Amino acid sequence: MSIVLEISPKGLLDYKSLEWHRDGVEVLNVSEGATSDLVVIFVPDGRLSAFVKRVTEYLEDDTKSGKPRNAALVNVIENVRRAAFGELWTDVSPAPNTDQAQWFQLWLRELPEGPRSTRDSLAELAEGLGIEIEPGFVTFPGRVVVAAYATRAALEQAIELLDAVAEIRSVAPTADFFLSDLTPADQSDWVRNLEHRTAHADEGDAATYVTLMDTGVNNGHPLIRRSLADADMHALHDSWRRTDHHGHGTQMAGLVLYGNLVHPLDSAGAMQVPHRLESVKILPPQGENPPHLYGWITAQAATRVEESHPGRRRIFSMMTTAVGATTGSPSEWSATIDRLAFGAPDIADEGAEIAQTCPRLFVLSAGNVPWPVWKDYPAINDLTPIESPAQAWNALTVGACTVLDTFDENRYSSFTAIAPTGGLSPSSSTTVMWSRSNWPFKPDVVAEGGNGCLDAGTQVIVGPESLRMLTTSSDMATALLTETGDTSAAAAEVARLCAQIAARYPDYWPETIRALVVHGARYTRAMRAPLPLVPLRQHKLNLLKRYGHGAVTLDYALGSSSTRPTLVLQEAIQPYRVEASQTKLNAVNLHALPWPIAELQALGEAPVELRVTLSYFVDPNPSQRGWQSKFRYQSHGLRFAVKGATESAEEFSKRINMLEREATAEDGEHDGPRETFRNEDATGWFLGAKLQSRGSVHSDVWMGTAAQLAAKSHVAVYPVGGWWKDWKGAGQPTRSVRYVLIVSLEVAETLDVDLYTPIATQIGIPVAVPIEVAPS
């Protein structure tokens, strides 16, 4: 039989120790959770006593050191149960509906009699259960993979069959199927089917738009025309045609609307596209734009669409980068994007209370590693810095990861995938080579960008097509579908996520949408694989420089759940005040958290996570003196601090008052709060104060017990220095700025607790309580 062990806390047990070969006990698969792991093991008939024996030894026998025998094993087993379909499902896609018949991959434990007998034994079991088993099979070390056509319900009822299964995965079509196996006429049938199943957002300023700055878009495509009106197609110069002369813009448009088209095309259900498109052609049909005008071009492109419809909610998405390495220092282009994102008026209104008038969200690609050098993956990715303007502080910069690692091995027998599933895409540039300690970590997040292969271990292949993303083709006379990938595709996917958030929450600011994307990102198992059990600061630093805050996750970014309630606060703060002609740091905003204290205390020592994200836009000062002196690049800085579990509210306020917040660019590694006193909240954070403090979006996760979290009742947002404070000629010392604070708590879904409902019943409109700080 197959049983499930819930191991908590995670990381304290080497799962190889559960391979008890003498008893025939074998580890089938491991599913990593936020605070615990689920380990599915196979126990032969009559061998369950092996577990009973070890538990009995724990209860009755001690080692020579006086500790219970087998303590390392028994102490971390939170729960034991028989394995069901959900524990055996290891695919990255959600498990299917109960009654939906489809093809599954069943990964079987190989029997001693060999692969053929393993497959035939399963087919014999399935024959009377309405489960069809394909005659072919694939072998891997210890595993035999067969294809089965059934419903999930049928598999769940076949207990004896499930005991032979180590894993269950989906059998989904890939881009290779649509591009290689279908004729253009067949493609048209699939596309028309999706077109008829898709509902599009209505035109008008009430809709959310993604403004694609690229090579233009051919909006005659059946999957695009209902989302991109002729009037919403623009070009930087009136002499240019507004349609796509290259193909890249149309490819990106398909991803912005649908994501990877493999999944919508394969689905039979209704499709909803809740946002629309605007297109600005920024690249000339012939030749190139002068590089010294990149910032001006971006500003002019934004002006084009905003003059036509100034009231629209839009996300700007641009995949164009300047070829060449960056060091993190601002360029004219990146600083222009920061200025546009901040939304400062061209001429300051002396009577305005808020320094920002029209903030904008920009989604940028990080830039690509040239495909001929993918053979040197992953070292070449660390050596290839992101490209301008991706270093912009206020932009959401996107790198690429991939879960696409399977292809037809019969057709491509000499191919091996370059990147592992969940790892960095071969195309993704990083900031590992950036040496300055006071620039933001980039990229901010990563998203699917496809994979590549090595042919016979040497020749680089971009693909095959099953390792690429499927999208709309600009050359509709030849085919309606084509493949794409790299950081451009990843940025398009994140722009789509931003638009979905904006459409669902129309009152959210650009700063909020950026924060939710970062807040919802998670590191995959492959990303965390190089980390030691106790990672050092340098390990975490490299993680941030390769992946930012992780791979974007739709469900985490879009909403709350009973075990993951999320609080979103959109607030304003006045960072500085004038006192005796000197500009000083101003008040702190203290936010009370509406935790369900009784529910958390009842959970006691159960592991929980607290995730905090602070997002705001800065007004840039890109002059040479600005970012190499005390004047600094950023107009202002903000930080967050959380009340320690053992601190009173009064002690927490005193600690915030004592923070030495006068860090300058010369401080180097001390760009975060330098605390010369006991900090009751210093432990438990994954990144910690120093790594939290870069750029204009700060995110970290605290891990501890539910009882400790119940006492962490407040989050403070406080100002640090910037050129508004240091430069008397700035003229901004008393202006207020916006910020967004997102706080969520998370417990294991296996715990029978609802944290969302008690929060929802007690919460009103959150109010920031200003507390005065000690003179600086």
Side-chain angles (χ1 to χ4, degrees):
M1 65 183 297
S2 299
I3 65 174
V4 181
L5 305 180
E6 183 180 348
I7 305 298
S8 178
K10 59 192 293 183
L12 295 184
L13 182 68
D14 183 354
Y15 300 133
K16 292 181 180 179
S17 65
L18 296 173
E19 297 264 346
W20 303 336
H21 298 290
R22 181 182 303 176
D23 298 304
V25 176
E26 175 187 351
V27 175
L28 298 182
N29 71 75
V30 179
S31 298
E32 185 177 352
T35 57
S36 62
D37 289 341
L38 296 181
V39 182
V40 182
I41 64 174
F42 173 74
V43 181
D45 290 341
R47 293 292 185 175
L48 193 58
S49 58
F51 269 98
V52 176
K53 176 177 178 292
R54 284 165 172 80
V55 174
T56 301
E57 289 175 346
Y58 172 80
L59 296 174
E60 299 179 355
D61 298 340
D62 291 338
T63 63
K64 292 181 179 180
S65 62
K67 295 181 180 180
R69 191 175 300 278
N70 304 319
L73 169 65
V74 178
N75 284 343
V76 296
I77 297 178
E78 190 80 10
N79 193 11
V80 181
R81 60 181 180 274
R82 185 158 190 164
F85 183 96
E87 284 81 28
L88 297 173
W89 181 261
T90 61
D91 204 273
V92 295
S93 60
N97 296 327
T98 302
D99 298 322
Q100 178 181 339
Q102 68 174 69
W103 285 102
F104 294 91
Q105 282 183 354
L106 304 183
W107 292 58
L108 313 176
R109 293 178 297 102
E110 183 178 349
L111 300 176
E113 295 78 11
R116 170 58 66 180
S117 295
T118 302
R119 180 263 162 208
D120 291 345
S121 297
L122 185 86
E124 184 178 345
L125 287 172
E127 187 174 359
L129 300 173
I131 298 173
E132 177 186 350
I133 304 295
E134 277 280 284
F137 58 89
V138 177
T139 61
F140 295 100
R143 295 291 183 264
V144 178
V145 184
V146 302
Y149 189 78
T151 64
R152 173 177 174 174
L155 291 175
E156 288 178 326
Q157 294 167 8
I159 301 298
E160 189 176 358
L161 183 146
L162 288 183
D163 281 342
V165 175
E167 300 180 48
I168 304 174
R169 303 186 189 181
S170 65
V171 181
T174 64
D176 187 52
F177 167 76
F178 292 100
L179 297 176
S180 299
D181 297 347
L182 298 184
T183 66
D186 293 334
Q187 285 187 9
S188 179
D189 291 339
W190 284 79
V191 167
R192 302 291 178 183
N193 177 271
L194 176 58
E195 180 188 12
H196 294 147
R197 289 187 282 111
T198 302
H200 296 258
D202 294 331
E203 291 186 56
D205 290 348
T208 296
Y209 285 76
V210 173
T211 304
L212 188 60
M213 297 176 170
D214 211 284
T215 60
V217 176
N218 290 343
N219 69 334
H221 196 288
L223 297 180
I224 297 176
R225 59 191 174 198
R226 290 165 59 193
S227 289
L228 177 56
D230 288 341
D232 291 328
M233 296 175 63
H234 308 269
L236 190 63
H237 296 289
D238 294 335
S239 60
W240 297 355
R241 297 183 62 181
R242 298 172 296 162
T243 51
D244 189 355
H245 66 278
H246 180 275
H248 188 268
T250 305
Q251 294 171 14
M252 296 302 103
L255 294 177
V256 166
L257 292 173
Y258 299 92
N260 189 348
L261 272 170
V262 167
H263 311 298
L265 287 171
D266 182 50
S267 171
M271 177 80 183
Q272 175 71 38
V273 178
H275 53 282
R276 297 185 61 81
L277 274 178
E278 291 177 327
S279 170
V280 187
K281 188 171 187 171
I282 63 171
L283 298 175
Q286 296 178 342
E288 298 178 348
N289 289 320
H292 59 279
L293 293 179
Y294 285 159
W296 178 86
I297 288 169
T298 304
Q300 290 298 304
T303 300
R304 285 267 171 159
V305 294
E306 290 176 342
E307 285 181 345
S308 299
H309 296 280
R312 280 184 176 174
R313 287 171 51 80
R314 50 174 59 90
I315 290 97
F316 293 93
S317 182
M318 184 171 65
M319 294 77 180
T320 303
T321 59
V323 177
T326 59
T327 62
S329 303
S331 65
E332 172 263 351
W333 196 1
S334 70
T336 298
I337 289 174
D338 278 336
R339 184 72 171 168
L340 291 169
F342 180 73
D346 292 333
I347 301 176
D349 180 0
E350 294 298 332
E353 295 181 357
I354 300 289
Q356 300 160 272
T357 56
C358 53
R360 305 169 179 89
L361 178 59
F362 282 83
V363 179
L364 308 177
S365 64
N368 296 323
V369 175
W371 69 264
V373 296
W374 288 5
K375 64 180 181 299
D376 298 321
Y377 174 93
I380 191 63
N381 302 79
D382 288 350
L383 295 173
T384 306
I386 68 169
E387 297 173 334
S388 186
Q391 71 268 43
W393 285 48
N394 295 334
L396 190 53
T397 302
V398 184
C401 62
T402 186
V403 297
L404 303 175
D405 68 340
T406 58
F407 51 88
D408 188 339
E409 295 185 359
N410 292 322
R411 186 188 301 181
Y412 307 107
S413 59
S414 62
F415 285 16
T416 54
I418 295 175
T421 182
L424 193 70
S425 172
S427 64
S428 192
S429 54
T430 68
T431 56
V432 172
M433 296 302 293
W434 283 7
S435 59
R436 293 187 63 85
S437 62
N438 53 345
W439 293 117
F441 297 114
K442 293 288 181 173
D444 296 291
V445 292
V446 292
E448 180 63 62
N451 207 343
C453 281
L454 292 180
D455 185 1
T458 57
Q459 184 178 355
V460 175
I461 305 296
V462 182
E465 289 164 335
S466 59
L467 303 186
R468 304 287 283 173
M469 301 170 74
L470 188 68
T471 189
T472 47
S473 170
S474 64
D475 187 6
M476 290 171 282
T478 303
L480 290 175
L481 301 173
T482 189
E483 55 87 13
T484 190
D486 307 331
T487 60
S488 289
E493 179 60 34
V494 172
R496 175 172 173 261
L497 174 58
C498 291
Q500 290 176 308
I501 296 172
R504 177 176 290 192
Y505 304 107
D507 294 329
Y508 280 0
W509 300 339
E511 301 96 318
T512 312
I513 297 169
R514 178 179 69 153
L516 283 168
V517 172
V518 170
H519 195 80
R522 297 293 187 272
Y523 296 119
T524 66
R525 184 181 300 177
M527 295 174 190
R528 285 180 171 269
L531 296 179
L533 185 61
V534 182
L536 302 176
R537 183 170 180 265
Q538 186 61 45
H539 299 125
K540 300 173 185 178
L541 189 66
N542 289 336
L543 195 69
L544 286 164
K545 289 183 173 185
R546 292 187 183 109
Y547 310 104
H549 294 280
V552 295
T553 308
L554 178 66
D555 291 343
Y556 287 171
L558 275 178
S560 299
S561 67
S562 61
T563 57
R564 196 186 66 255
T566 300
L567 180 68
V568 178
L569 304 174
Q570 298 184 139
E571 301 291 343
I573 190 171
Q574 181 183 322
Y576 312 119
R577 70 183 190 276
V578 176
E579 182 178 301
S581 75
Q582 296 293 317
T583 303
K584 304 282 188 177
L585 296 174
N586 198 34
V588 173
N589 279 2
L590 186 64
H591 300 279
L593 301 175
W595 292 155
I597 295 175
E599 286 81 359
L600 289 172
Q601 290 175 338
L603 292 175
E605 297 301 305
V608 297
E609 292 186 356
L610 172 71
R611 191 173 297 268
V612 181
T613 301
L614 173 65
S615 173
Y616 55 96
F617 291 161
V618 300
D619 192 5
N621 177 25
S623 65
Q624 190 80 355
R625 67 168 189 168
W627 49 268
Q628 287 189 340
S629 73
K630 67 178 183 179
F631 293 104
R632 286 169 275 202
Y633 177 77
Q634 71 274 24
S635 54
H636 63 287
L638 301 177
R639 302 290 185 266
F640 71 82
V642 179
K643 175 184 163 308
T646 60
E647 283 182 308
S648 67
E650 181 180 359
E651 290 170 335
F652 177 50
S653 297
K654 289 180 179 179
R655 173 161 67 89
I656 298 303
N657 274 324
M658 292 172 64
L659 282 173
E660 189 176 348
R661 294 176 282 134
E662 290 299 306
T664 66
E666 289 84 2
D667 289 332
E669 294 300 318
H670 299 289
D671 54 350
R674 295 176 294 163
E675 299 172 4
T676 57
F677 53 92
R678 181 174 176 80
N679 179 2
E680 300 297 336
D681 189 52
T683 60
W685 292 94
F686 178 67
L687 296 180
K690 289 182 179 179
L691 296 184
Q692 288 171 4
S693 60
R694 306 283 191 90
S696 61
V697 59
H698 315 291
S699 187
D700 202 356
V701 58
W702 172 89
M703 291 158 281
T705 69
Q708 290 172 326
L709 181 59
K712 298 173 78 69
S713 57
H714 290 78
V715 177
V717 175
Y718 59 91
V720 295
W723 65 267
W724 280 4
K725 175 180 179 296
D726 299 322
W727 185 18
K728 291 185 177 181
Q732 304 278 4
T734 60
R735 295 288 181 92
S736 293
V737 292
R738 311 193 315 187
Y739 70 87
V740 175
L741 182 68
I742 302 179
V743 186
S744 63
L745 61 89
E746 184 171 347
V747 300
E749 293 184 0
T750 53
L751 293 177
D752 185 18
V753 61
D754 179 6
L755 300 176
Y756 180 87
T757 301
I759 292 176
T761 56
Q762 70 165 296
I763 193 169
I765 299 175
V767 178
V769 181
I771 59 175
E772 290 301 320
V773 300
S776 60

